[in-house]
PDB file of all heavy atoms in Angstrom:
ATOM      1  N   THR A  28     -41.951  -8.581 -15.435  1.00  0.00           N
ATOM      2  CA  THR A  28     -42.161  -7.334 -16.174  1.00  0.00           C
ATOM      3  C   THR A  28     -41.350  -6.187 -15.574  1.00  0.00           C
ATOM      4  O   THR A  28     -41.247  -5.127 -16.186  1.00  0.00           O
ATOM      5  CB  THR A  28     -43.653  -6.941 -16.172  1.00  0.00           C
ATOM      6  OG1 THR A  28     -44.092  -6.671 -14.835  1.00  0.00           O
ATOM      7  CG2 THR A  28     -44.508  -8.049 -16.772  1.00  0.00           C
ATOM      8  N   ASP A  29     -40.789  -6.406 -14.402  1.00  0.00           N
ATOM      9  CA  ASP A  29     -39.956  -5.403 -13.737  1.00  0.00           C
ATOM     10  C   ASP A  29     -38.574  -5.410 -14.395  1.00  0.00           C
ATOM     11  O   ASP A  29     -37.948  -6.463 -14.529  1.00  0.00           O
ATOM     12  CB  ASP A  29     -39.831  -5.748 -12.246  1.00  0.00           C
ATOM     13  CG  ASP A  29     -39.169  -4.662 -11.431  1.00  0.00           C
ATOM     14  OD1 ASP A  29     -38.114  -4.155 -11.868  1.00  0.00           O
ATOM     15  OD2 ASP A  29     -39.681  -4.340 -10.344  1.00  0.00           O
ATOM     16  N   PRO A  30     -38.052  -4.237 -14.819  1.00  0.00           N
ATOM     17  CA  PRO A  30     -36.730  -4.191 -15.465  1.00  0.00           C
ATOM     18  C   PRO A  30     -35.622  -4.791 -14.619  1.00  0.00           C
ATOM     19  O   PRO A  30     -34.658  -5.359 -15.140  1.00  0.00           O
ATOM     20  CB  PRO A  30     -36.508  -2.700 -15.705  1.00  0.00           C
ATOM     21  CG  PRO A  30     -37.880  -2.107 -15.758  1.00  0.00           C
ATOM     22  CD  PRO A  30     -38.696  -2.912 -14.792  1.00  0.00           C
ATOM     23  N   ARG A  31     -35.738  -4.702 -13.291  1.00  0.00           N
ATOM     24  CA  ARG A  31     -34.711  -5.265 -12.420  1.00  0.00           C
ATOM     25  C   ARG A  31     -34.688  -6.790 -12.527  1.00  0.00           C
ATOM     26  O   ARG A  31     -33.623  -7.405 -12.566  1.00  0.00           O
ATOM     27  CB  ARG A  31     -34.950  -4.843 -10.973  1.00  0.00           C
ATOM     28  CG  ARG A  31     -34.887  -3.339 -10.705  1.00  0.00           C
ATOM     29  CD  ARG A  31     -35.302  -3.052  -9.275  1.00  0.00           C
ATOM     30  NE  ARG A  31     -36.646  -3.556  -9.021  1.00  0.00           N
ATOM     31  CZ  ARG A  31     -37.089  -3.940  -7.819  1.00  0.00           C
ATOM     32  NH1 ARG A  31     -36.275  -3.926  -6.765  1.00  0.00           N
ATOM     33  NH2 ARG A  31     -38.336  -4.370  -7.677  1.00  0.00           N
ATOM     34  N   VAL A  32     -35.879  -7.389 -12.560  1.00  0.00           N
ATOM     35  CA  VAL A  32     -35.977  -8.843 -12.702  1.00  0.00           C
ATOM     36  C   VAL A  32     -35.473  -9.268 -14.079  1.00  0.00           C
ATOM     37  O   VAL A  32     -34.721 -10.244 -14.220  1.00  0.00           O
ATOM     38  CB  VAL A  32     -37.423  -9.317 -12.483  1.00  0.00           C
ATOM     39  CG1 VAL A  32     -37.555 -10.799 -12.799  1.00  0.00           C
ATOM     40  CG2 VAL A  32     -37.865  -9.034 -11.052  1.00  0.00           C
ATOM     41  N   ALA A  33     -35.886  -8.526 -15.120  1.00  0.00           N
ATOM     42  CA  ALA A  33     -35.449  -8.853 -16.473  1.00  0.00           C
ATOM     43  C   ALA A  33     -33.932  -8.792 -16.590  1.00  0.00           C
ATOM     44  O   ALA A  33     -33.309  -9.649 -17.227  1.00  0.00           O
ATOM     45  CB  ALA A  33     -36.101  -7.904 -17.471  1.00  0.00           C
ATOM     46  N   ALA A  34     -33.324  -7.793 -15.938  1.00  0.00           N
ATOM     47  CA  ALA A  34     -31.869  -7.668 -15.975  1.00  0.00           C
ATOM     48  C   ALA A  34     -31.199  -8.812 -15.221  1.00  0.00           C
ATOM     49  O   ALA A  34     -30.174  -9.349 -15.667  1.00  0.00           O
ATOM     50  CB  ALA A  34     -31.458  -6.328 -15.383  1.00  0.00           C
ATOM     51  N   TYR A  35     -31.787  -9.206 -14.092  1.00  0.00           N
ATOM     52  CA  TYR A  35     -31.233 -10.300 -13.292  1.00  0.00           C
ATOM     53  C   TYR A  35     -31.261 -11.604 -14.099  1.00  0.00           C
ATOM     54  O   TYR A  35     -30.253 -12.334 -14.164  1.00  0.00           O
ATOM     55  CB  TYR A  35     -32.049 -10.430 -12.004  1.00  0.00           C
ATOM     56  CG  TYR A  35     -31.545 -11.486 -11.042  1.00  0.00           C
ATOM     57  CD1 TYR A  35     -30.687 -11.145 -10.002  1.00  0.00           C
ATOM     58  CD2 TYR A  35     -31.949 -12.813 -11.159  1.00  0.00           C
ATOM     59  CE1 TYR A  35     -30.233 -12.112  -9.103  1.00  0.00           C
ATOM     60  CE2 TYR A  35     -31.503 -13.785 -10.276  1.00  0.00           C
ATOM     61  CZ  TYR A  35     -30.645 -13.423  -9.244  1.00  0.00           C
ATOM     62  OH  TYR A  35     -30.197 -14.380  -8.364  1.00  0.00           O
ATOM     63  N   VAL A  36     -32.402 -11.903 -14.711  1.00  0.00           N
ATOM     64  CA  VAL A  36     -32.521 -13.121 -15.511  1.00  0.00           C
ATOM     65  C   VAL A  36     -31.607 -13.034 -16.734  1.00  0.00           C
ATOM     66  O   VAL A  36     -30.941 -14.007 -17.114  1.00  0.00           O
ATOM     67  CB  VAL A  36     -33.987 -13.351 -15.942  1.00  0.00           C
ATOM     68  CG1 VAL A  36     -34.100 -14.582 -16.847  1.00  0.00           C
ATOM     69  CG2 VAL A  36     -34.888 -13.514 -14.722  1.00  0.00           C
ATOM     70  N   GLY A  37     -31.552 -11.842 -17.329  1.00  0.00           N
ATOM     71  CA  GLY A  37     -30.736 -11.659 -18.528  1.00  0.00           C
ATOM     72  C   GLY A  37     -29.251 -11.778 -18.278  1.00  0.00           C
ATOM     73  O   GLY A  37     -28.488 -12.027 -19.222  1.00  0.00           O
ATOM     74  N   ASP A  38     -28.830 -11.626 -17.045  1.00  0.00           N
ATOM     75  CA  ASP A  38     -27.407 -11.758 -16.723  1.00  0.00           C
ATOM     76  C   ASP A  38     -26.947 -13.211 -16.682  1.00  0.00           C
ATOM     77  O   ASP A  38     -25.734 -13.469 -16.620  1.00  0.00           O
ATOM     78  CB  ASP A  38     -27.120 -11.093 -15.367  1.00  0.00           C
ATOM     79  CG  ASP A  38     -27.040  -9.573 -15.470  1.00  0.00           C
ATOM     80  OD1 ASP A  38     -26.870  -9.073 -16.607  1.00  0.00           O
ATOM     81  OD2 ASP A  38     -27.167  -8.893 -14.432  1.00  0.00           O
ATOM     82  N   ASP A  39     -27.863 -14.136 -16.690  1.00  0.00           N
ATOM     83  CA  ASP A  39     -27.467 -15.542 -16.762  1.00  0.00           C
ATOM     84  C   ASP A  39     -26.736 -15.758 -18.093  1.00  0.00           C
ATOM     85  O   ASP A  39     -27.261 -15.402 -19.156  1.00  0.00           O
ATOM     86  CB  ASP A  39     -28.712 -16.438 -16.693  1.00  0.00           C
ATOM     87  CG  ASP A  39     -28.362 -17.913 -16.567  1.00  0.00           C
ATOM     88  OD1 ASP A  39     -27.596 -18.426 -17.414  1.00  0.00           O
ATOM     89  OD2 ASP A  39     -28.863 -18.560 -15.629  1.00  0.00           O
ATOM     90  N   PRO A  40     -25.539 -16.307 -18.083  1.00  0.00           N
ATOM     91  CA  PRO A  40     -24.771 -16.454 -19.331  1.00  0.00           C
ATOM     92  C   PRO A  40     -25.453 -17.327 -20.379  1.00  0.00           C
ATOM     93  O   PRO A  40     -25.082 -17.274 -21.559  1.00  0.00           O
ATOM     94  CB  PRO A  40     -23.452 -17.080 -18.859  1.00  0.00           C
ATOM     95  CG  PRO A  40     -23.749 -17.680 -17.525  1.00  0.00           C
ATOM     96  CD  PRO A  40     -24.801 -16.815 -16.911  1.00  0.00           C
ATOM     97  N   ARG A  41     -26.449 -18.111 -19.988  1.00  0.00           N
ATOM     98  CA  ARG A  41     -27.146 -18.955 -20.962  1.00  0.00           C
ATOM     99  C   ARG A  41     -28.397 -18.284 -21.527  1.00  0.00           C
ATOM    100  O   ARG A  41     -29.018 -18.800 -22.453  1.00  0.00           O
ATOM    101  CB  ARG A  41     -27.553 -20.280 -20.296  1.00  0.00           C
ATOM    102  CG  ARG A  41     -26.373 -21.106 -19.816  1.00  0.00           C
ATOM    103  CD  ARG A  41     -26.784 -22.119 -18.783  1.00  0.00           C
ATOM    104  NE  ARG A  41     -27.257 -21.473 -17.550  1.00  0.00           N
ATOM    105  CZ  ARG A  41     -27.518 -22.113 -16.412  1.00  0.00           C
ATOM    106  NH1 ARG A  41     -27.322 -23.417 -16.335  1.00  0.00           N
ATOM    107  NH2 ARG A  41     -27.965 -21.465 -15.347  1.00  0.00           N
ATOM    108  N   PHE A  42     -28.759 -17.126 -20.988  1.00  0.00           N
ATOM    109  CA  PHE A  42     -30.026 -16.500 -21.363  1.00  0.00           C
ATOM    110  C   PHE A  42     -30.067 -16.092 -22.833  1.00  0.00           C
ATOM    111  O   PHE A  42     -30.994 -16.435 -23.561  1.00  0.00           O
ATOM    112  CB  PHE A  42     -30.280 -15.265 -20.484  1.00  0.00           C
ATOM    113  CG  PHE A  42     -31.522 -14.500 -20.870  1.00  0.00           C
ATOM    114  CD1 PHE A  42     -32.762 -14.852 -20.362  1.00  0.00           C
ATOM    115  CD2 PHE A  42     -31.452 -13.432 -21.759  1.00  0.00           C
ATOM    116  CE1 PHE A  42     -33.915 -14.157 -20.718  1.00  0.00           C
ATOM    117  CE2 PHE A  42     -32.595 -12.733 -22.130  1.00  0.00           C
ATOM    118  CZ  PHE A  42     -33.823 -13.097 -21.600  1.00  0.00           C
ATOM    119  N   THR A  43     -29.069 -15.349 -23.281  1.00  0.00           N
ATOM    120  CA  THR A  43     -29.096 -14.808 -24.647  1.00  0.00           C
ATOM    121  C   THR A  43     -29.125 -15.909 -25.689  1.00  0.00           C
ATOM    122  O   THR A  43     -29.904 -15.864 -26.649  1.00  0.00           O
ATOM    123  CB  THR A  43     -27.895 -13.884 -24.879  1.00  0.00           C
ATOM    124  OG1 THR A  43     -27.953 -12.781 -23.955  1.00  0.00           O
ATOM    125  CG2 THR A  43     -27.892 -13.341 -26.301  1.00  0.00           C
ATOM    126  N   ALA A  44     -28.295 -16.932 -25.496  1.00  0.00           N
ATOM    127  CA  ALA A  44     -28.275 -18.031 -26.459  1.00  0.00           C
ATOM    128  C   ALA A  44     -29.622 -18.741 -26.505  1.00  0.00           C
ATOM    129  O   ALA A  44     -30.130 -19.089 -27.581  1.00  0.00           O
ATOM    130  CB  ALA A  44     -27.159 -19.010 -26.114  1.00  0.00           C
ATOM    131  N   PHE A  45     -30.209 -18.947 -25.321  1.00  0.00           N
ATOM    132  CA  PHE A  45     -31.508 -19.619 -25.265  1.00  0.00           C
ATOM    133  C   PHE A  45     -32.578 -18.782 -25.960  1.00  0.00           C
ATOM    134  O   PHE A  45     -33.339 -19.286 -26.799  1.00  0.00           O
ATOM    135  CB  PHE A  45     -31.886 -19.873 -23.809  1.00  0.00           C
ATOM    136  CG  PHE A  45     -33.251 -20.464 -23.617  1.00  0.00           C
ATOM    137  CD1 PHE A  45     -33.563 -21.732 -24.088  1.00  0.00           C
ATOM    138  CD2 PHE A  45     -34.246 -19.746 -22.948  1.00  0.00           C
ATOM    139  CE1 PHE A  45     -34.825 -22.277 -23.909  1.00  0.00           C
ATOM    140  CE2 PHE A  45     -35.500 -20.289 -22.759  1.00  0.00           C
ATOM    141  CZ  PHE A  45     -35.803 -21.552 -23.233  1.00  0.00           C
ATOM    142  N   ALA A  46     -32.649 -17.500 -25.625  1.00  0.00           N
ATOM    143  CA  ALA A  46     -33.665 -16.620 -26.219  1.00  0.00           C
ATOM    144  C   ALA A  46     -33.493 -16.528 -27.733  1.00  0.00           C
ATOM    145  O   ALA A  46     -34.479 -16.538 -28.483  1.00  0.00           O
ATOM    146  CB  ALA A  46     -33.595 -15.231 -25.585  1.00  0.00           C
ATOM    147  N   ASP A  47     -32.259 -16.444 -28.192  1.00  0.00           N
ATOM    148  CA  ASP A  47     -32.009 -16.357 -29.643  1.00  0.00           C
ATOM    149  C   ASP A  47     -32.394 -17.646 -30.359  1.00  0.00           C
ATOM    150  O   ASP A  47     -32.927 -17.614 -31.478  1.00  0.00           O
ATOM    151  CB  ASP A  47     -30.537 -16.031 -29.899  1.00  0.00           C
ATOM    152  CG  ASP A  47     -30.178 -14.604 -29.524  1.00  0.00           C
ATOM    153  OD1 ASP A  47     -31.104 -13.797 -29.300  1.00  0.00           O
ATOM    154  OD2 ASP A  47     -28.965 -14.305 -29.462  1.00  0.00           O
ATOM    155  N   GLN A  48     -32.113 -18.792 -29.720  1.00  0.00           N
ATOM    156  CA  GLN A  48     -32.469 -20.077 -30.330  1.00  0.00           C
ATOM    157  C   GLN A  48     -33.985 -20.237 -30.424  1.00  0.00           C
ATOM    158  O   GLN A  48     -34.514 -20.735 -31.435  1.00  0.00           O
ATOM    159  CB  GLN A  48     -31.868 -21.225 -29.522  1.00  0.00           C
ATOM    160  CG  GLN A  48     -30.351 -21.320 -29.588  1.00  0.00           C
ATOM    161  CD  GLN A  48     -29.873 -21.936 -30.909  1.00  0.00           C
ATOM    162  OE1 GLN A  48     -30.654 -22.403 -31.716  1.00  0.00           O
ATOM    163  NE2 GLN A  48     -28.564 -21.927 -31.106  1.00  0.00           N
ATOM    164  N   VAL A  49     -34.708 -19.831 -29.390  1.00  0.00           N
ATOM    165  CA  VAL A  49     -36.166 -19.922 -29.419  1.00  0.00           C
ATOM    166  C   VAL A  49     -36.723 -18.994 -30.496  1.00  0.00           C
ATOM    167  O   VAL A  49     -37.658 -19.358 -31.227  1.00  0.00           O
ATOM    168  CB  VAL A  49     -36.753 -19.578 -28.041  1.00  0.00           C
ATOM    169  CG1 VAL A  49     -38.284 -19.495 -28.112  1.00  0.00           C
ATOM    170  CG2 VAL A  49     -36.343 -20.622 -27.006  1.00  0.00           C
ATOM    171  N   LEU A  50     -36.149 -17.803 -30.615  1.00  0.00           N
ATOM    172  CA  LEU A  50     -36.599 -16.884 -31.657  1.00  0.00           C
ATOM    173  C   LEU A  50     -36.338 -17.462 -33.040  1.00  0.00           C
ATOM    174  O   LEU A  50     -37.202 -17.399 -33.926  1.00  0.00           O
ATOM    175  CB  LEU A  50     -35.894 -15.533 -31.510  1.00  0.00           C
ATOM    176  CG  LEU A  50     -36.261 -14.485 -32.569  1.00  0.00           C
ATOM    177  CD1 LEU A  50     -37.743 -14.112 -32.463  1.00  0.00           C
ATOM    178  CD2 LEU A  50     -35.387 -13.246 -32.432  1.00  0.00           C
ATOM    179  N   ALA A  51     -35.153 -18.035 -33.237  1.00  0.00           N
ATOM    180  CA  ALA A  51     -34.827 -18.622 -34.537  1.00  0.00           C
ATOM    181  C   ALA A  51     -35.778 -19.758 -34.871  1.00  0.00           C
ATOM    182  O   ALA A  51     -36.220 -19.907 -36.024  1.00  0.00           O
ATOM    183  CB  ALA A  51     -33.380 -19.113 -34.545  1.00  0.00           C
ATOM    184  N   LEU A  52     -36.120 -20.573 -33.867  1.00  0.00           N
ATOM    185  CA  LEU A  52     -37.054 -21.670 -34.094  1.00  0.00           C
ATOM    186  C   LEU A  52     -38.438 -21.119 -34.465  1.00  0.00           C
ATOM    187  O   LEU A  52     -39.088 -21.626 -35.388  1.00  0.00           O
ATOM    188  CB  LEU A  52     -37.154 -22.536 -32.849  1.00  0.00           C
ATOM    189  CG  LEU A  52     -38.070 -23.751 -32.938  1.00  0.00           C
ATOM    190  CD1 LEU A  52     -37.590 -24.715 -34.016  1.00  0.00           C
ATOM    191  CD2 LEU A  52     -38.158 -24.461 -31.588  1.00  0.00           C
ATOM    192  N   SER A  53     -38.877 -20.093 -33.785  1.00  0.00           N
ATOM    193  CA  SER A  53     -40.167 -19.490 -34.094  1.00  0.00           C
ATOM    194  C   SER A  53     -40.166 -18.900 -35.500  1.00  0.00           C
ATOM    195  O   SER A  53     -41.147 -19.041 -36.245  1.00  0.00           O
ATOM    196  CB  SER A  53     -40.505 -18.406 -33.070  1.00  0.00           C
ATOM    197  OG  SER A  53     -40.644 -18.946 -31.768  1.00  0.00           O
ATOM    198  N   GLN A  54     -39.081 -18.232 -35.861  1.00  0.00           N
ATOM    199  CA  GLN A  54     -38.995 -17.642 -37.195  1.00  0.00           C
ATOM    200  C   GLN A  54     -39.009 -18.700 -38.287  1.00  0.00           C
ATOM    201  O   GLN A  54     -39.466 -18.442 -39.408  1.00  0.00           O
ATOM    202  CB  GLN A  54     -37.736 -16.786 -37.299  1.00  0.00           C
ATOM    203  CG  GLN A  54     -37.789 -15.516 -36.458  1.00  0.00           C
ATOM    204  CD  GLN A  54     -36.445 -14.811 -36.373  1.00  0.00           C
ATOM    205  OE1 GLN A  54     -35.384 -15.451 -36.465  1.00  0.00           O
ATOM    206  NE2 GLN A  54     -36.467 -13.502 -36.187  1.00  0.00           N
ATOM    207  N   LEU A  55     -38.521 -19.896 -37.969  1.00  0.00           N
ATOM    208  CA  LEU A  55     -38.565 -20.994 -38.924  1.00  0.00           C
ATOM    209  C   LEU A  55     -39.969 -21.593 -39.020  1.00  0.00           C
ATOM    210  O   LEU A  55     -40.463 -21.875 -40.125  1.00  0.00           O
ATOM    211  CB  LEU A  55     -37.570 -22.080 -38.499  1.00  0.00           C
ATOM    212  CG  LEU A  55     -37.625 -23.404 -39.280  1.00  0.00           C
ATOM    213  CD1 LEU A  55     -37.180 -23.191 -40.725  1.00  0.00           C
ATOM    214  CD2 LEU A  55     -36.763 -24.463 -38.593  1.00  0.00           C
ATOM    215  N   LEU A  56     -40.621 -21.791 -37.857  1.00  0.00           N
ATOM    216  CA  LEU A  56     -41.860 -22.551 -37.823  1.00  0.00           C
ATOM    217  C   LEU A  56     -43.107 -21.728 -38.129  1.00  0.00           C
ATOM    218  O   LEU A  56     -44.050 -22.247 -38.739  1.00  0.00           O
ATOM    219  CB  LEU A  56     -42.021 -23.218 -36.456  1.00  0.00           C
ATOM    220  CG  LEU A  56     -40.981 -24.287 -36.110  1.00  0.00           C
ATOM    221  CD1 LEU A  56     -41.277 -24.877 -34.733  1.00  0.00           C
ATOM    222  CD2 LEU A  56     -40.981 -25.396 -37.151  1.00  0.00           C
ATOM    223  N   LEU A  57     -43.150 -20.471 -37.704  1.00  0.00           N
ATOM    224  CA  LEU A  57     -44.376 -19.704 -37.878  1.00  0.00           C
ATOM    225  C   LEU A  57     -44.786 -19.560 -39.337  1.00  0.00           C
ATOM    226  O   LEU A  57     -45.972 -19.756 -39.668  1.00  0.00           O
ATOM    227  CB  LEU A  57     -44.237 -18.328 -37.204  1.00  0.00           C
ATOM    228  CG  LEU A  57     -44.143 -18.352 -35.669  1.00  0.00           C
ATOM    229  CD1 LEU A  57     -44.080 -16.934 -35.122  1.00  0.00           C
ATOM    230  CD2 LEU A  57     -45.316 -19.100 -35.059  1.00  0.00           C
ATOM    231  N   PRO A  58     -43.862 -19.227 -40.251  1.00  0.00           N
ATOM    232  CA  PRO A  58     -44.283 -19.178 -41.661  1.00  0.00           C
ATOM    233  C   PRO A  58     -44.769 -20.534 -42.172  1.00  0.00           C
ATOM    234  O   PRO A  58     -45.701 -20.594 -42.973  1.00  0.00           O
ATOM    235  CB  PRO A  58     -43.010 -18.739 -42.390  1.00  0.00           C
ATOM    236  CG  PRO A  58     -42.194 -18.033 -41.360  1.00  0.00           C
ATOM    237  CD  PRO A  58     -42.466 -18.767 -40.087  1.00  0.00           C
ATOM    238  N   ALA A  59     -44.147 -21.614 -41.686  1.00  0.00           N
ATOM    239  CA  ALA A  59     -44.575 -22.943 -42.122  1.00  0.00           C
ATOM    240  C   ALA A  59     -45.972 -23.263 -41.599  1.00  0.00           C
ATOM    241  O   ALA A  59     -46.802 -23.828 -42.327  1.00  0.00           O
ATOM    242  CB  ALA A  59     -43.574 -23.997 -41.637  1.00  0.00           C
ATOM    243  N   PHE A  60     -46.254 -22.904 -40.339  1.00  0.00           N
ATOM    244  CA  PHE A  60     -47.596 -23.112 -39.796  1.00  0.00           C
ATOM    245  C   PHE A  60     -48.620 -22.296 -40.573  1.00  0.00           C
ATOM    246  O   PHE A  60     -49.736 -22.755 -40.837  1.00  0.00           O
ATOM    247  CB  PHE A  60     -47.633 -22.716 -38.311  1.00  0.00           C
ATOM    248  CG  PHE A  60     -47.041 -23.725 -37.381  1.00  0.00           C
ATOM    249  CD1 PHE A  60     -46.125 -23.340 -36.411  1.00  0.00           C
ATOM    250  CD2 PHE A  60     -47.395 -25.063 -37.461  1.00  0.00           C
ATOM    251  CE1 PHE A  60     -45.585 -24.275 -35.540  1.00  0.00           C
ATOM    252  CE2 PHE A  60     -46.856 -26.005 -36.601  1.00  0.00           C
ATOM    253  CZ  PHE A  60     -45.948 -25.603 -35.637  1.00  0.00           C
ATOM    254  N   ARG A  61     -48.255 -21.064 -40.921  1.00  0.00           N
ATOM    255  CA  ARG A  61     -49.175 -20.217 -41.684  1.00  0.00           C
ATOM    256  C   ARG A  61     -49.473 -20.825 -43.048  1.00  0.00           C
ATOM    257  O   ARG A  61     -50.620 -20.864 -43.491  1.00  0.00           O
ATOM    258  CB  ARG A  61     -48.583 -18.813 -41.852  1.00  0.00           C
ATOM    259  CG  ARG A  61     -49.480 -17.840 -42.622  1.00  0.00           C
ATOM    260  CD  ARG A  61     -48.882 -16.454 -42.612  1.00  0.00           C
ATOM    261  NE  ARG A  61     -47.559 -16.452 -43.229  1.00  0.00           N
ATOM    262  CZ  ARG A  61     -46.733 -15.416 -43.204  1.00  0.00           C
ATOM    263  NH1 ARG A  61     -47.080 -14.306 -42.568  1.00  0.00           N
ATOM    264  NH2 ARG A  61     -45.554 -15.478 -43.796  1.00  0.00           N
ATOM    265  N   GLU A  62     -48.439 -21.330 -43.718  1.00  0.00           N
ATOM    266  CA  GLU A  62     -48.641 -21.955 -45.025  1.00  0.00           C
ATOM    267  C   GLU A  62     -49.470 -23.230 -44.902  1.00  0.00           C
ATOM    268  O   GLU A  62     -50.207 -23.591 -45.829  1.00  0.00           O
ATOM    269  CB  GLU A  62     -47.288 -22.272 -45.675  1.00  0.00           C
ATOM    270  CG  GLU A  62     -46.527 -21.034 -46.134  1.00  0.00           C
ATOM    271  CD  GLU A  62     -47.331 -20.213 -47.123  1.00  0.00           C
ATOM    272  OE1 GLU A  62     -47.905 -20.804 -48.059  1.00  0.00           O
ATOM    273  OE2 GLU A  62     -47.413 -18.976 -46.959  1.00  0.00           O
ATOM    274  N   GLU A  63     -49.347 -23.902 -43.773  1.00  0.00           N
ATOM    275  CA  GLU A  63     -50.115 -25.130 -43.552  1.00  0.00           C
ATOM    276  C   GLU A  63     -51.592 -24.835 -43.337  1.00  0.00           C
ATOM    277  O   GLU A  63     -52.437 -25.709 -43.454  1.00  0.00           O
ATOM    278  CB  GLU A  63     -49.542 -25.879 -42.344  1.00  0.00           C
ATOM    279  CG  GLU A  63     -50.207 -27.206 -42.027  1.00  0.00           C
ATOM    280  CD  GLU A  63     -49.967 -28.265 -43.090  1.00  0.00           C
ATOM    281  OE1 GLU A  63     -49.095 -28.037 -43.967  1.00  0.00           O
ATOM    282  OE2 GLU A  63     -50.645 -29.294 -43.061  1.00  0.00           O
ATOM    283  N   GLY A  64     -51.904 -23.565 -43.043  1.00  0.00           N
ATOM    284  CA  GLY A  64     -53.296 -23.179 -42.879  1.00  0.00           C
ATOM    285  C   GLY A  64     -53.723 -22.914 -41.454  1.00  0.00           C
ATOM    286  O   GLY A  64     -54.899 -22.621 -41.203  1.00  0.00           O
ATOM    287  N   LYS A  65     -52.788 -22.996 -40.474  1.00  0.00           N
ATOM    288  CA  LYS A  65     -53.161 -22.703 -39.092  1.00  0.00           C
ATOM    289  C   LYS A  65     -53.404 -21.209 -38.941  1.00  0.00           C
ATOM    290  O   LYS A  65     -52.727 -20.391 -39.566  1.00  0.00           O
ATOM    291  CB  LYS A  65     -52.068 -23.158 -38.120  1.00  0.00           C
ATOM    292  CG  LYS A  65     -51.969 -24.677 -37.987  1.00  0.00           C
ATOM    293  CD  LYS A  65     -50.929 -25.079 -36.962  1.00  0.00           C
ATOM    294  CE  LYS A  65     -51.357 -24.770 -35.549  1.00  0.00           C
ATOM    295  NZ  LYS A  65     -52.486 -25.636 -35.101  1.00  0.00           N
TER     296      LYS A  65
END
């Protein structure tokens, strides 16, 4: 939760791609889970 730690982790060249892919997966699945009744 410390901005310094977040910046350190965020500087990893794989961080942004990973975070964006997880977000895209969530954006795909959450509406489907909601429609399924969860």
Side-chain angles (χ1 to χ4, degrees):
T28 64
D29 189 313
R31 298 173 302 152
V32 173
Y35 183 95
V36 177
D38 282 342
D39 188 306
R41 298 160 295 189
F42 176 86
T43 299
F45 175 65
D47 289 347
Q48 291 283 353
V49 173
L50 179 64
L52 181 62
S53 297
Q54 291 170 332
L55 172 67
L56 295 181
L57 293 183
F60 282 131
R61 181 174 60 189
E62 289 302 314
E63 182 67 12
K65 289 183 71 69

